[in-house]
Each structure stands twice: as structure tokens, then as C-alpha cells.
Coordinates of all heavy atoms in Angstrom, one line a residue:
M181 N 16.6 -4.2 3.4 CA 15.6 -4.0 4.4 C 14.3 -3.5 3.8 O 14.3 -2.7 2.9 CB 16.1 -3.0 5.5 CG 15.2 -2.8 6.6 SD 15.2 -4.1 7.9 CE 16.9 -4.2 8.2
I182 N 13.2 -4.1 4.2 CA 11.9 -3.8 3.6 C 11.1 -3.1 4.7 O 11.2 -3.4 5.9 CB 11.1 -5.1 3.3 CG1 11.9 -5.9 2.2 CG2 9.7 -4.8 2.8 CD1 12.0 -5.2 0.9
V183 N 10.4 -2.0 4.3 CA 9.5 -1.3 5.3 C 8.1 -1.6 4.9 O 7.7 -1.2 3.8 CB 9.8 0.2 5.3 CG1 8.8 0.9 6.2 CG2 11.2 0.4 5.8
E184 N 7.3 -2.2 5.8 CA 5.9 -2.3 5.6 C 5.3 -1.0 6.1 O 5.6 -0.6 7.3 CB 5.4 -3.5 6.4 CG 3.9 -3.5 6.6 CD 3.4 -4.4 7.8 OE1 4.3 -5.0 8.5 OE2 2.2 -4.4 8.0
A185 N 4.4 -0.4 5.3 CA 3.7 0.8 5.8 C 2.2 0.4 5.7 O 1.7 0.2 4.6 CB 4.0 2.0 4.9
A186 N 1.6 0.4 6.8 CA 0.1 0.2 6.9 C -0.6 1.4 7.3 O -0.3 2.0 8.4 CB -0.2 -1.0 7.9
E187 N -1.4 2.0 6.4 CA -2.2 3.2 6.8 C -3.5 2.7 7.3 O -4.2 1.9 6.7 CB -2.4 4.0 5.6 CG -3.1 5.3 5.9 CD -3.0 6.4 4.8 OE1 -1.9 6.9 4.6 OE2 -4.1 6.6 4.2
I188 N -3.8 3.1 8.6 CA -4.9 2.6 9.3 C -5.8 3.8 9.8 O -5.2 4.7 10.5 CB -4.5 1.8 10.5 CG1 -3.6 0.6 10.1 CG2 -5.7 1.3 11.3 CD1 -2.8 -0.1 11.2
T189 N -7.0 3.8 9.4 CA -8.0 4.8 9.9 C -8.8 4.1 11.0 O -9.2 3.0 10.9 CB -8.9 5.3 8.8 OG1 -8.1 5.8 7.8 CG2 -9.9 6.4 9.3
V190 N -8.9 4.8 12.2 CA -9.6 4.3 13.3 C -10.9 5.0 13.5 O -11.1 6.1 13.0 CB -8.8 4.3 14.6 CG1 -7.5 3.5 14.4 CG2 -8.5 5.7 15.0
K191 N -11.8 4.3 14.2 CA -13.2 4.9 14.5 C -13.0 6.1 15.4 O -12.1 6.1 16.2 CB -14.0 3.8 15.1 CG -14.3 2.6 14.2 CD -15.0 1.5 15.0 CE -15.2 0.3 14.1 NZ -15.7 -0.9 14.9
P192 N -13.9 7.1 15.2 CA -13.9 8.3 16.1 C -13.9 7.9 17.5 O -14.7 7.0 17.9 CB -15.1 9.1 15.6 CG -15.4 8.6 14.3 CD -15.0 7.1 14.2
G193 N -13.1 8.5 18.3 CA -13.1 8.2 19.8 C -12.3 7.0 20.2 O -12.2 6.8 21.4
S194 N -11.7 6.3 19.3 CA -11.0 5.0 19.6 C -9.5 5.2 19.6 O -8.8 4.2 19.7 CB -11.5 3.9 18.8 OG -11.1 4.1 17.4
E195 N -9.0 6.4 19.3 CA -7.6 6.6 19.1 C -6.8 6.0 20.3 O -5.8 5.3 20.1 CB -7.3 8.1 18.9 CG -7.9 8.6 17.7 CD -9.3 9.1 17.8 OE1 -10.0 8.9 18.8 OE2 -9.8 9.8 16.8
A196 N -7.1 6.4 21.5 CA -6.3 5.9 22.7 C -6.3 4.4 22.8 O -5.3 3.8 23.2 CB -6.8 6.6 24.0
H197 N -7.5 3.8 22.6 CA -7.6 2.3 22.7 C -6.7 1.7 21.6 O -6.1 0.7 21.9 CB -9.0 1.9 22.5 CG -9.9 2.3 23.7 ND1 -9.8 1.8 24.9 CD2 -10.9 3.2 23.7 CE1 -10.7 2.4 25.7 NE2 -11.4 3.3 25.0
F198 N -6.8 2.2 20.4 CA -5.9 1.7 19.3 C -4.5 1.8 19.6 O -3.7 0.8 19.5 CB -6.3 2.4 18.0 CG -5.4 2.0 16.9 CD1 -5.5 0.8 16.3 CD2 -4.4 2.9 16.4 CE1 -4.6 0.4 15.2 CE2 -3.5 2.5 15.4 CZ -3.7 1.3 14.8
E199 N -4.0 3.0 20.1 CA -2.6 3.2 20.4 C -2.2 2.2 21.5 O -1.1 1.6 21.5 CB -2.4 4.6 20.9 CG -2.5 5.6 19.7 CD -2.4 7.0 20.2 OE1 -1.9 7.3 21.3 OE2 -2.9 7.9 19.4
A200 N -3.1 2.0 22.5 CA -2.7 1.0 23.6 C -2.6 -0.4 23.0 O -1.7 -1.2 23.4 CB -3.8 1.1 24.7
G201 N -3.5 -0.8 22.1 CA -3.5 -2.1 21.5 C -2.2 -2.3 20.7 O -1.6 -3.4 20.8
V202 N -1.7 -1.3 20.0 CA -0.5 -1.3 19.2 C 0.7 -1.5 20.2 O 1.6 -2.3 20.0 CB -0.3 -0.1 18.3 CG1 1.1 -0.1 17.7 CG2 -1.4 -0.1 17.2
S203 N 0.7 -0.8 21.3 CA 1.7 -0.9 22.3 C 1.8 -2.4 22.9 O 2.9 -2.9 23.0 CB 1.6 0.1 23.4 OG 1.8 1.4 23.0
Q204 N 0.6 -2.9 23.1 CA 0.6 -4.3 23.6 C 1.1 -5.3 22.6 O 1.6 -6.3 22.9 CB -0.9 -4.7 24.0 CG -1.4 -4.1 25.3 CD -2.8 -4.7 25.6 OE1 -3.7 -4.2 25.0 NE2 -2.8 -5.6 26.4
A205 N 0.8 -5.0 21.3 CA 1.1 -5.9 20.2 C 2.6 -5.8 19.8 O 3.1 -6.7 19.1 CB 0.2 -5.6 19.0
A206 N 3.3 -4.8 20.2 CA 4.7 -4.6 19.7 C 5.5 -5.8 19.9 O 6.3 -6.2 19.0 CB 5.3 -3.4 20.3
P207 N 5.5 -6.5 21.1 CA 6.3 -7.7 21.2 C 6.0 -8.8 20.2 O 6.9 -9.6 19.9 CB 6.0 -8.1 22.7 CG 5.6 -6.9 23.4 CD 4.8 -6.1 22.3
L208 N 4.7 -8.9 19.8 CA 4.4 -9.9 18.8 C 5.1 -9.7 17.5 O 5.6 -10.7 16.9 CB 2.9 -9.8 18.5 CG 1.9 -9.9 19.7 CD1 0.5 -9.7 19.3 CD2 2.1 -11.3 20.4
F209 N 5.3 -8.5 17.1 CA 6.1 -8.2 15.9 C 7.6 -8.4 16.1 O 8.2 -9.1 15.3 CB 5.9 -6.7 15.5 CG 4.6 -6.4 14.9 CD1 3.6 -5.9 15.6 CD2 4.5 -6.5 13.5 CE1 2.3 -5.6 15.0 CE2 3.3 -6.2 12.9 CZ 2.2 -5.7 13.7
L210 N 8.1 -7.9 17.3 CA 9.5 -8.0 17.5 C 10.1 -9.4 17.7 O 11.2 -9.6 17.4 CB 9.8 -7.2 18.8 CG 9.6 -5.7 18.6 CD1 9.8 -5.0 20.0 CD2 10.4 -5.1 17.5
R211 N 9.2 -10.4 18.0 CA 9.7 -11.7 18.1 C 9.6 -12.5 16.8 O 10.0 -13.6 16.7 CB 9.1 -12.5 19.3 CG 7.6 -12.8 19.1 CD 7.1 -13.5 20.4 NE 5.7 -13.7 20.3 CZ 4.9 -13.7 21.4 NH1 5.5 -13.5 22.6 NH2 3.6 -13.9 21.3
A212 N 8.9 -11.9 15.8 CA 8.8 -12.5 14.5 C 10.1 -12.6 13.7 O 10.9 -11.7 13.8 CB 7.7 -11.8 13.7
K213 N 10.3 -13.7 13.0 CA 11.5 -13.8 12.2 C 11.6 -12.7 11.2 O 10.6 -12.3 10.5 CB 11.4 -15.2 11.4 CG 12.6 -15.4 10.5 CD 12.4 -16.7 9.7 CE 13.5 -16.9 8.7 NZ 13.4 -16.0 7.5
G214 N 12.7 -12.1 11.2 CA 13.0 -11.0 10.2 C 12.5 -9.6 10.6 O 12.7 -8.7 9.8
C215 N 11.9 -9.5 11.7 CA 11.4 -8.1 12.1 C 12.5 -7.4 12.8 O 13.2 -7.9 13.7 CB 10.2 -8.2 13.1 SG 9.6 -6.6 13.6
H216 N 12.7 -6.1 12.4 CA 13.8 -5.3 12.9 C 13.3 -4.1 13.6 O 14.1 -3.2 14.0 CB 14.8 -4.9 11.8 CG 15.6 -6.1 11.2 ND1 16.7 -6.5 11.8 CD2 15.3 -6.9 10.2 CE1 17.2 -7.5 11.1 NE2 16.3 -7.8 10.1
G217 N 12.0 -4.0 13.8 CA 11.5 -2.8 14.5 C 10.1 -2.4 14.1 O 9.7 -2.7 13.0
V218 N 9.4 -1.7 14.9 CA 8.0 -1.3 14.6 C 7.8 0.1 15.2 O 8.3 0.4 16.3 CB 7.0 -2.3 15.2 CG1 7.1 -2.5 16.7 CG2 5.6 -2.0 14.8
A219 N 7.1 0.9 14.5 CA 6.8 2.3 15.0 C 5.4 2.7 14.5 O 5.0 2.3 13.4 CB 7.8 3.3 14.5
L220 N 4.7 3.4 15.4 CA 3.4 3.9 15.0 C 3.4 5.4 14.9 O 3.9 6.1 15.9 CB 2.3 3.5 16.1 CG 0.9 3.9 15.8 CD1 0.4 3.2 14.5 CD2 0.0 3.6 17.0
H221 N 3.0 5.9 13.8 CA 2.9 7.4 13.6 C 1.5 7.8 13.4 O 0.7 7.1 12.8 CB 3.7 7.8 12.3 CG 5.2 7.6 12.4 ND1 6.1 8.6 12.2 CD2 5.9 6.4 12.6 CE1 7.3 8.1 12.3 NE2 7.2 6.8 12.6
R222 N 1.1 8.9 14.0 CA -0.2 9.5 13.8 C -0.1 10.7 12.9 O 0.8 11.5 13.0 CB -0.7 10.0 15.2 CG -2.2 10.4 15.2 CD -2.6 10.6 16.6 NE -4.0 10.9 16.7 CZ -4.7 11.1 17.8 NH1 -4.1 11.1 19.0 NH2 -6.0 11.3 17.8
V223 N -1.0 10.7 11.9 CA -1.0 11.8 10.9 C -1.5 13.0 11.6 O -2.6 13.1 12.1 CB -1.9 11.4 9.7 CG1 -1.9 12.5 8.7 CG2 -1.3 10.1 9.0
V224 N -0.7 14.1 11.5 CA -1.0 15.3 12.2 C -2.3 16.0 11.6 O -3.2 16.4 12.3 CB 0.2 16.3 12.1 CG1 -0.2 17.7 12.7 CG2 1.4 15.7 12.8
E225 N -2.4 16.0 10.3 CA -3.5 16.7 9.6 C -4.8 15.9 9.7 O -5.9 16.5 9.6 CB -3.2 16.9 8.1 CG -2.0 17.8 7.9 CD -0.7 17.2 8.0 OE1 -0.6 15.9 8.2 OE2 0.3 17.9 7.8
T226 N -4.7 14.6 10.0 CA -5.9 13.7 10.1 C -5.7 12.8 11.2 O -5.2 11.7 11.1 CB -6.1 12.9 8.7 OG1 -5.9 13.7 7.6 CG2 -7.5 12.3 8.7
P227 N -6.0 13.2 12.5 CA -5.7 12.5 13.7 C -6.2 11.1 13.8 O -5.8 10.3 14.6 CB -6.2 13.4 14.8 CG -6.3 14.7 14.2 CD -6.6 14.5 12.8
R228 N -7.2 10.7 13.0 CA -7.7 9.3 13.1 C -7.0 8.4 12.1 O -7.3 7.2 12.1 CB -9.2 9.3 12.7 CG -10.1 9.9 13.7 CD -11.6 9.9 13.4 NE -12.0 8.7 12.7 CZ -12.7 8.7 11.5 NH1 -13.1 9.8 10.9 NH2 -13.0 7.5 10.9
V229 N -6.0 8.9 11.4 CA -5.2 8.1 10.5 C -3.8 7.9 11.1 O -3.2 8.8 11.6 CB -5.1 8.8 9.1 CG1 -4.2 8.0 8.2 CG2 -6.5 9.0 8.5
Y230 N -3.4 6.6 11.1 CA -2.1 6.2 11.6 C -1.3 5.5 10.5 O -1.9 5.0 9.6 CB -2.3 5.2 12.8 CG -2.9 5.9 14.0 CD1 -4.2 6.0 14.1 CD2 -2.0 6.3 15.0 CE1 -4.8 6.6 15.3 CE2 -2.6 6.8 16.2 CZ -3.9 7.0 16.3 OH -4.5 7.6 17.4
R231 N 0.0 5.5 10.7 CA 0.9 4.7 9.8 C 1.7 3.9 10.7 O 2.5 4.3 11.5 CB 1.8 5.7 8.9 CG 0.9 6.4 7.9 CD 1.7 6.9 6.8 NE 0.8 7.6 5.9 CZ 0.6 8.9 5.8 NH1 1.4 9.7 6.6 NH2 -0.2 9.5 5.0
L232 N 1.5 2.6 10.5 CA 2.3 1.6 11.2 C 3.5 1.2 10.3 O 3.3 0.8 9.2 CB 1.5 0.3 11.5 CG 2.2 -0.8 12.3 CD1 2.5 -0.4 13.7 CD2 1.4 -2.1 12.2
L233 N 4.7 1.4 10.8 CA 5.9 1.1 10.0 C 6.6 0.0 10.7 O 7.1 0.1 11.8 CB 6.8 2.4 9.9 CG 6.1 3.6 9.4 CD1 7.0 4.9 9.5 CD2 5.6 3.4 7.9
V234 N 6.8 -1.1 9.9 CA 7.5 -2.2 10.4 C 8.7 -2.6 9.5 O 8.5 -2.7 8.3 CB 6.6 -3.5 10.5 CG1 7.3 -4.6 11.2 CG2 5.3 -3.1 11.3
K235 N 9.8 -2.7 10.1 CA 11.0 -3.1 9.3 C 11.2 -4.6 9.3 O 11.2 -5.3 10.3 CB 12.3 -2.5 9.9 CG 12.3 -1.0 9.8 CD 13.6 -0.4 10.4 CE 13.6 1.1 10.3 NZ 14.8 1.6 11.0
W236 N 11.2 -5.1 8.0 CA 11.4 -6.6 7.8 C 12.6 -6.9 7.0 O 13.0 -6.1 6.1 CB 10.1 -7.1 7.1 CG 8.8 -7.0 7.8 CD1 7.9 -6.1 7.6 CD2 8.4 -7.9 8.8 NE1 6.8 -6.3 8.4 CE2 7.1 -7.4 9.2 CE3 8.9 -9.0 9.5 CZ2 6.3 -8.0 10.2 CZ3 8.1 -9.6 10.5 CH2 6.8 -9.1 10.8
E237 N 13.2 -8.0 7.2 CA 14.3 -8.5 6.4 C 13.8 -8.7 5.0 O 14.5 -8.3 4.0 CB 14.9 -9.8 7.0 CG 16.2 -10.2 6.5 CD 17.3 -9.2 6.9 OE1 17.3 -8.6 7.9 OE2 18.2 -9.0 6.0
T238 N 12.7 -9.4 4.8 CA 12.1 -9.7 3.5 C 10.6 -9.5 3.5 O 10.0 -9.5 4.6 CB 12.4 -11.1 3.1 OG1 11.7 -12.0 3.9 CG2 13.9 -11.5 3.1
V239 N 10.0 -9.4 2.4 CA 8.6 -9.3 2.3 C 8.0 -10.6 2.8 O 6.9 -10.6 3.5 CB 8.1 -9.0 0.8 CG1 6.6 -9.1 0.7 CG2 8.6 -7.6 0.4
D240 N 8.6 -11.8 2.5 CA 8.1 -13.1 2.9 C 8.1 -13.2 4.4 O 7.2 -13.8 5.0 CB 8.9 -14.2 2.3 CG 8.4 -14.6 0.9 OD1 7.4 -14.0 0.4 OD2 9.1 -15.4 0.3
D241 N 9.0 -12.5 5.1 CA 9.0 -12.6 6.6 C 7.7 -12.0 7.1 O 7.2 -12.5 8.1 CB 10.2 -11.8 7.2 CG 11.5 -12.6 7.0 OD1 11.5 -13.8 6.9 OD2 12.6 -11.9 7.1
H242 N 7.2 -11.0 6.4 CA 5.9 -10.4 6.8 C 4.8 -11.2 6.3 O 3.9 -11.6 7.0 CB 5.8 -8.9 6.3 CG 4.5 -8.3 6.5 ND1 3.8 -7.6 5.5 CD2 3.6 -8.3 7.6 CE1 2.7 -7.2 6.0 NE2 2.5 -7.7 7.2
M243 N 4.7 -11.3 4.9 CA 3.5 -11.8 4.3 C 3.3 -13.3 4.5 O 2.2 -13.8 4.4 CB 3.5 -11.5 2.8 CG 3.5 -10.0 2.5 SD 2.0 -9.2 3.2 CE 0.7 -10.0 2.1
V244 N 4.4 -14.1 4.7 CA 4.2 -15.5 4.9 C 4.4 -15.9 6.3 O 3.6 -16.4 7.0 CB 5.2 -16.3 4.0 CG1 5.1 -17.8 4.2 CG2 5.0 -16.0 2.5
G245 N 5.6 -15.5 6.9 CA 5.9 -15.9 8.2 C 5.0 -15.3 9.3 O 4.3 -16.0 10.0
F246 N 4.9 -13.9 9.3 CA 4.1 -13.3 10.3 C 2.6 -13.4 10.1 O 1.8 -13.8 11.0 CB 4.5 -11.8 10.4 CG 3.8 -11.1 11.6 CD1 4.0 -11.4 12.9 CD2 2.9 -10.1 11.3 CE1 3.3 -10.8 13.9 CE2 2.2 -9.4 12.3 CZ 2.4 -9.8 13.6
R247 N 2.2 -13.2 8.8 CA 0.8 -13.3 8.5 C 0.1 -14.6 8.8 O -1.0 -14.7 9.0 CB 0.5 -12.9 7.1 CG 0.6 -11.4 6.8 CD -0.7 -10.7 7.0 NE -0.7 -9.3 6.8 CZ -1.4 -8.7 5.8 NH1 -2.1 -9.4 5.0 NH2 -1.4 -7.4 5.7
N248 N 0.9 -15.7 8.7 CA 0.4 -17.0 8.9 C 0.6 -17.5 10.4 O 0.5 -18.7 10.7 CB 1.0 -18.0 8.0 CG 0.5 -17.8 6.6 OD1 -0.6 -17.6 6.3 ND2 1.4 -17.8 5.6
S249 N 1.0 -16.6 11.3 CA 1.3 -17.0 12.6 C 0.1 -16.7 13.6 O -0.7 -15.8 13.3 CB 2.5 -16.2 13.1 OG 2.2 -14.8 13.3
E250 N 0.2 -17.3 14.7 CA -0.8 -17.0 15.8 C -0.6 -15.6 16.3 O -1.5 -14.9 16.7 CB -0.7 -18.0 16.9 CG -1.5 -17.7 18.1 CD -3.0 -17.5 17.8 OE1 -3.6 -18.2 16.9 OE2 -3.7 -16.7 18.4
D251 N 0.7 -15.1 16.3 CA 0.9 -13.7 16.7 C 0.2 -12.7 15.8 O -0.3 -11.7 16.3 CB 2.4 -13.4 16.7 CG 3.1 -14.0 17.9 OD1 2.4 -14.4 18.9 OD2 4.4 -14.1 17.9
F252 N 0.1 -13.0 14.5 CA -0.7 -12.1 13.7 C -2.2 -12.1 14.1 O -2.8 -11.0 14.2 CB -0.6 -12.5 12.2 CG -1.4 -11.6 11.3 CD1 -1.0 -10.3 11.0 CD2 -2.6 -12.1 10.8 CE1 -1.8 -9.5 10.1 CE2 -3.4 -11.3 9.9 CZ -3.0 -10.0 9.6
Q253 N -2.7 -13.2 14.4 CA -4.1 -13.3 14.9 C -4.3 -12.5 16.2 O -5.3 -11.9 16.4 CB -4.5 -14.8 15.0 CG -4.5 -15.6 13.7 CD -5.3 -15.0 12.6 OE1 -6.4 -14.5 12.9 NE2 -4.8 -14.9 11.4
A254 N -3.3 -12.6 17.1 CA -3.3 -11.9 18.3 C -3.3 -10.4 18.1 O -4.0 -9.6 18.7 CB -2.2 -12.3 19.2
W255 N -2.4 -10.0 17.1 CA -2.4 -8.6 16.7 C -3.7 -8.1 16.3 O -4.2 -7.0 16.7 CB -1.3 -8.4 15.7 CG -1.5 -7.3 14.6 CD1 -1.9 -7.5 13.3 CD2 -1.4 -5.9 14.8 NE1 -2.0 -6.3 12.7 CE2 -1.7 -5.3 13.6 CE3 -1.0 -5.1 15.9 CZ2 -1.7 -3.9 13.4 CZ3 -1.0 -3.7 15.7 CH2 -1.3 -3.2 14.4
R256 N -4.3 -8.8 15.4 CA -5.7 -8.4 14.9 C -6.7 -8.3 16.0 O -7.6 -7.4 16.0 CB -6.1 -9.3 13.8 CG -5.3 -9.3 12.5 CD -5.2 -7.9 11.9 NE -6.5 -7.4 11.4 CZ -6.8 -7.2 10.1 NH1 -5.8 -7.3 9.2 NH2 -8.0 -6.8 9.7
R257 N -6.7 -9.3 16.9 CA -7.6 -9.2 18.0 C -7.5 -8.0 18.9 O -8.5 -7.4 19.3 CB -7.5 -10.5 18.9 CG -8.1 -11.7 18.3 CD -8.2 -12.9 19.3 NE -6.9 -13.3 19.7 CZ -6.2 -14.3 19.1 NH1 -6.6 -14.8 18.0 NH2 -5.0 -14.6 19.6
L258 N -6.2 -7.5 19.0 CA -6.0 -6.4 19.8 C -6.4 -5.1 19.2 O -6.8 -4.1 19.9 CB -4.5 -6.3 20.2 CG -4.0 -7.2 21.2 CD1 -2.4 -7.3 21.2 CD2 -4.5 -6.8 22.6
V259 N -6.3 -5.0 17.9 CA -6.5 -3.7 17.2 C -7.6 -3.6 16.2 O -8.2 -2.5 16.0 CB -5.2 -3.2 16.5 CG1 -4.1 -3.0 17.5 CG2 -4.8 -4.1 15.4
S260 N -8.0 -4.7 15.6 CA -9.0 -4.6 14.6 C -10.4 -4.1 15.0 O -11.1 -3.5 14.2 CB -9.2 -5.9 13.8 OG -9.7 -6.9 14.7
P261 N -10.8 -4.2 16.3 CA -12.1 -3.6 16.7 C -12.1 -2.1 16.5 O -13.2 -1.5 16.4 CB -12.2 -4.0 18.2 CG -11.4 -5.2 18.3 CD -10.2 -5.0 17.4
Y262 N -11.0 -1.4 16.4 CA -10.9 0.0 16.3 C -10.7 0.5 14.8 O -10.8 1.7 14.6 CB -9.7 0.5 17.1 CG -9.8 0.0 18.5 CD1 -8.8 -0.9 19.0 CD2 -10.9 0.3 19.4 CE1 -8.9 -1.4 20.2 CE2 -11.0 -0.3 20.6 CZ -10.0 -1.1 21.1 OH -10.1 -1.7 22.3
F263 N -10.6 -0.4 13.9 CA -10.4 -0.1 12.5 C -11.7 0.5 11.9 O -12.8 0.0 12.2 CB -10.0 -1.3 11.6 CG -8.7 -1.9 11.8 CD1 -8.3 -3.0 11.1 CD2 -7.7 -1.3 12.7 CE1 -7.1 -3.6 11.3 CE2 -6.5 -1.9 12.8 CZ -6.2 -3.0 12.2
D264 N -11.5 1.6 11.1 CA -12.6 2.1 10.4 C -12.3 1.9 8.9 O -11.8 2.7 8.2 CB -12.8 3.6 10.7 CG -14.0 4.2 10.1 OD1 -14.9 3.5 9.5 OD2 -14.2 5.5 10.2
G265 N -12.6 0.7 8.5 CA -12.2 0.2 7.1 C -10.9 -0.6 7.2 O -10.3 -0.8 8.2
S266 N -10.6 -1.2 6.0 CA -9.4 -2.0 6.0 C -8.1 -1.2 5.8 O -8.1 -0.2 5.1 CB -9.5 -2.9 4.7 OG -10.6 -3.8 4.8
P267 N -7.0 -1.7 6.5 CA -5.8 -1.0 6.4 C -5.2 -1.1 4.9 O -5.6 -2.1 4.2 CB -4.8 -1.8 7.3 CG -5.8 -2.4 8.3 CD -7.0 -2.7 7.5
K268 N -4.5 -0.1 4.5 CA -3.8 -0.2 3.2 C -2.4 -0.4 3.5 O -1.7 0.4 4.1 CB -4.0 1.2 2.5 CG -5.4 1.5 2.2 CD -5.6 2.9 1.6 CE -7.1 3.3 1.6 NZ -7.3 4.7 1.7
V269 N -1.9 -1.6 3.0 CA -0.5 -2.0 3.3 C 0.3 -2.0 2.0 O -0.1 -2.6 1.0 CB -0.5 -3.4 3.9 CG1 0.9 -3.9 4.2 CG2 -1.4 -3.4 5.2
T270 N 1.5 -1.4 2.1 CA 2.5 -1.5 1.0 C 3.9 -1.9 1.6 O 4.1 -1.7 2.8 CB 2.6 -0.2 0.3 OG1 3.0 0.9 1.2 CG2 1.3 0.2 -0.4
H271 N 4.8 -2.3 0.8 CA 6.1 -2.6 1.1 C 7.1 -1.8 0.3 O 6.8 -1.6 -0.9 CB 6.4 -4.1 0.9 CG 5.6 -5.0 1.8 ND1 4.4 -5.5 1.3 CD2 5.7 -5.5 3.0 CE1 3.9 -6.2 2.2 NE2 4.7 -6.2 3.3
S272 N 8.1 -1.2 0.9 CA 9.1 -0.4 0.1 C 10.5 -0.8 0.6 O 10.7 -1.4 1.6 CB 8.8 1.1 0.3 OG 9.0 1.4 1.7
E273 N 11.4 -0.4 -0.2 CA 12.8 -0.5 0.1 C 13.5 0.8 -0.3 O 13.2 1.4 -1.3 CB 13.5 -1.7 -0.5 CG 13.4 -1.8 -2.0 CD 14.0 -3.2 -2.5 OE1 14.7 -3.8 -1.8 OE2 13.7 -3.5 -3.7
A274 N 14.5 1.2 0.5 CA 15.3 2.4 0.2 C 16.1 2.3 -1.1 O 16.7 1.3 -1.3 CB 16.2 2.7 1.4
V275 N 16.0 3.3 -1.9 CA 16.8 3.4 -3.1 C 17.8 4.6 -3.0 O 18.7 4.6 -3.8 CB 16.0 3.5 -4.3 CG1 15.2 2.2 -4.5 CG2 15.0 4.7 -4.3
A276 N 17.6 5.5 -2.1 CA 18.5 6.6 -1.8 C 18.4 7.0 -0.4 O 17.3 7.0 0.2 CB 18.2 7.7 -2.8
L277 N 19.5 7.2 0.3 CA 19.5 7.6 1.7 C 20.4 8.8 1.9 O 21.5 9.0 1.2 CB 20.0 6.5 2.5 CG 19.2 5.2 2.6 CD1 19.9 4.1 3.3 CD2 17.9 5.5 3.2
S278 N 20.0 9.7 2.8 CA 20.9 10.7 3.3 C 20.5 11.0 4.7 O 19.4 10.7 5.2 CB 20.8 12.0 2.4 OG 19.4 12.5 2.5
R279 N 21.5 11.5 5.5 CA 21.3 11.7 6.9 C 21.9 13.1 7.3 O 22.9 13.4 6.8 CB 21.9 10.6 7.8 CG 21.2 9.3 7.6 CD 21.9 8.3 8.5 NE 21.6 8.6 9.8 CZ 21.1 7.8 10.7 NH1 20.9 6.5 10.4 NH2 20.9 8.1 12.0
N280 N 21.2 13.7 8.2 CA 21.7 14.9 8.8 C 21.3 14.9 10.3 O 20.4 15.6 10.7 CB 21.2 16.1 8.1 CG 21.8 17.4 8.5 OD1 22.9 17.4 9.1 ND2 21.3 18.5 8.1
D281 N 22.0 14.1 11.0 CA 21.7 14.0 12.5 C 22.3 15.2 13.2 O 22.8 15.3 14.1 CB 22.2 12.7 13.0 CG 21.4 11.5 12.5 OD1 20.8 11.7 11.4 OD2 21.4 10.5 13.1

């Protein structure tokens, strides 16, 4: 499993609009091939900074399949007006896990 982490800074005062756009866009991600879930986190110390975490089967499911789709274009239309700069995107995979539920 691959986790896409996109760090997104939004324009001052646009936080609620951005969050609403992400909520509207969630189905676009969830119907994409290889997508296993999406979550939006807001950075407590810097409230204009968010981390969008998307679970993908492979990096190609994100970078090729989703990025080249109309759903990606729809996602950008919903949220990019609120971006304050370009998102920083990385992909990671777990190398060690522990749980304490």
C-alpha cells in the first residue's frame, strides 16, 4: 500500500471553502482504480496547512491513472482556487507498523 501525502497551504480565510471542496471531491478519489481511502488533516500549529492522505495500491494508480483522468481535473477545479502555492506531494510505504488500539 502506498500513501500519497500532499501538503497544501490555503489562502487566508479560505479554509472552510477548501474543506468543503475536498469533501465534494472525495468520491472522485474513491472511484479511482487502486484508491483505498482518503483523509484530510489540518495542521494544528499552522491552521492554513493541510495534509491530504490518499491510500493507493500503486504509485502508478495515482500518478498515471488518476492524474490523467477527468476526475483529477474535477478535483483541481474544486480546490485549486484556494491553494496558496503549489502542493508538495510525496509517496511513502510502511516499513514498520505497530498498533495500540
Side-chain angles (χ1 to χ4, degrees):
M181 186 74 54
I182 301 297
V183 176
E184 167 200 357
E187 186 167 287
I188 303 165
T189 301
V190 299
K191 295 173 184 171
S194 67
E195 295 87 350
H197 295 292
F198 174 72
E199 291 174 19
V202 172
S203 291
Q204 283 184 283
L208 303 173
F209 285 91
L210 295 173
R211 69 181 176 211
K213 177 184 178 286
C215 182
H216 292 273
V218 59
L220 182 66
H221 293 240
R222 189 173 186 177
V223 176
V224 173
E225 295 83 1
T226 317
R228 288 181 37 230
V229 177
Y230 291 83
R231 292 200 181 99
L232 180 73
L233 304 173
V234 186
K235 293 180 182 177
W236 297 100
E237 193 67 33
T238 68
V239 172
D240 278 353
D241 285 338
H242 172 226
M243 296 302 293
V244 178
F246 185 65
R247 282 273 181 114
N248 290 315
S249 71
E250 176 53 37
D251 283 343
F252 177 75
Q253 297 305 317
W255 147 254
R256 292 303 292 246
R257 283 191 296 273
L258 284 166
V259 297
S260 66
Y262 310 112
F263 290 176
D264 190 5
S266 297
K268 298 173 189 155
V269 179
T270 59
H271 298 91
S272 64
E273 58 186 341
V275 295
L277 296 172
S278 61
R279 293 183 66 131
N280 189 13
D281 292 21

